[in-house]
Amino acid sequence: FGRMVMWVFGYGSLVWKAGFEYDEKVVGFIKGNRRVFDLASIDHRGTPEFPARICTLQAQEGAICWGTAYRVRRDPEKENLALEYLIRRDPEYDIQAHVDFYQEADFETPFLTGVLVFTSTPNKISNKYFLGPAPLEEMAGQIAKVVGPCGNNCDYLFKLEKSLYDIGHADDEVIELENEVRKILGGIDAFTLSKIFSTTPDKTKKTRLRPVSRSIGRNGR
């Protein structure tokens, strides 16, 4: 099974937007890692002067990280196109690892082995994109204000929260961060907020602020 296809695990923007041709998408999780907003985006959701915060993985014993796995059939051209796209899309991720992928029906036996996942070196010296952890309020303030060529940082967070909720596995920490960002945005007047969101290249896809924040605890890790 693993020899006939390539599988790629997504835990950030790949959850809602693959961007490459794939044959199947399945929901599941990997073990020993948690999702953290410790990585900088300087050419998509942020800029070199004002980097955005995007997801990477942090090793943690006992943790699990829900997301989606994409299957690409064993076609050299198709695989190369997918890999080239992912590397070009996310240069911040300097590690390509292979992990076991599980589904809810069986937490002990891997559904797939050798699944490709992109992550990053957690070292500010060797990895210029690594921001490291920060207090919740500080991260929320950064995410609420930063805008890049591909849109605003808070839209990335909101889409991730919604996508995880839609697959039935909302992430408590993502919800907590989102709620903090919405508190900050709630204090910005409508004109300023519209100016922030109008910088998104595709102006037909402006972010809608949902009036009710989700409560922590629904299908969390």
Side-chain angles (χ1 to χ4, degrees):
F1 190 32
R3 296 174 184 174
M4 300 302 294
V5 296
M6 178 181 78
W7 287 88
V8 180
F9 179 68
Y11 56 90
S13 61
L14 284 180
V15 177
W16 74 84
K17 180 182 179 182
F20 57 89
E21 185 180 352
Y22 63 89
D23 302 288
E24 184 181 1
K25 175 181 178 180
V26 295
V27 174
F29 64 91
I30 62 174
K31 295 182 177 182
N33 288 278
R34 60 188 283 257
R35 187 179 3 250
V36 292
F37 285 79
D38 291 355
L39 203 60
S41 171
I42 62 174
D43 57 0
H44 283 74
R45 297 287 180 172
T47 65
E49 295 77 19
F50 301 101
R53 278 189 176 268
I54 59 175
C55 292
T56 186
L57 294 174
Q58 180 185 77
Q60 180 177 307
E61 186 176 356
I64 64 173
C65 180
W66 286 91
T68 52
Y70 297 92
R71 182 180 69 171
V72 180
R73 292 189 185 279
R74 180 62 69 180
D75 179 320
E77 182 178 359
K78 200 172 179 181
E79 284 187 14
N80 288 337
L81 287 174
L83 287 173
E84 288 173 2
Y85 167 78
L86 290 170
I87 292 171
R88 183 174 64 253
R89 165 177 163 172
D90 297 314
E92 304 90 354
Y93 300 94
D94 60 337
I95 297 176
Q96 296 180 30
H98 291 86
V99 297
D100 291 338
F101 176 85
Y102 300 79
Q103 288 198 301
E104 193 165 19
D106 190 343
F107 271 64
E108 300 302 324
T109 305
F111 177 70
L112 298 165
T113 60
V115 176
L116 177 64
V117 62
F118 287 78
T119 184
S120 58
T121 303
N123 186 299
K124 293 183 180 180
I125 297 176
S126 59
N127 182 5
K128 67 178 182 179
Y129 296 106
F130 185 69
L131 296 174
L136 179 67
E137 296 78 8
E138 182 180 325
M139 287 197 296
Q142 184 176 356
I143 291 172
K145 299 172 184 177
V146 172
V147 180
C150 294
N152 49 76
N153 199 179
C154 59
D155 192 38
Y156 171 94
L157 172 63
F158 296 163
K159 285 182 177 179
L160 176 61
E161 187 277 331
K162 182 181 184 303
S163 298
L164 293 172
Y165 182 87
D166 288 345
I167 65 174
H169 295 284
D171 185 316
D172 289 352
E173 294 182 358
V174 173
I175 292 172
E176 184 180 26
L177 181 57
E178 183 205 31
N179 287 344
E180 193 68 27
V181 169
R182 289 188 185 280
K183 287 180 187 177
I184 296 172
L185 293 178
I188 301 177
D189 62 89
F191 174 77
T192 302
L193 196 58
S194 67
K195 293 292 287 183
I196 292 174
F197 288 165
S198 69
T199 59
T200 304
D202 184 352
K203 296 185 180 182
T204 65
K205 295 183 178 179
K206 295 179 183 177
T207 301
R208 290 185 304 153
L209 294 183
R210 286 172 286 147
V212 180
S213 297
R214 304 202 193 285
S215 298
I216 296 176
R218 182 191 183 280
N219 291 329
R221 23 172 137 258

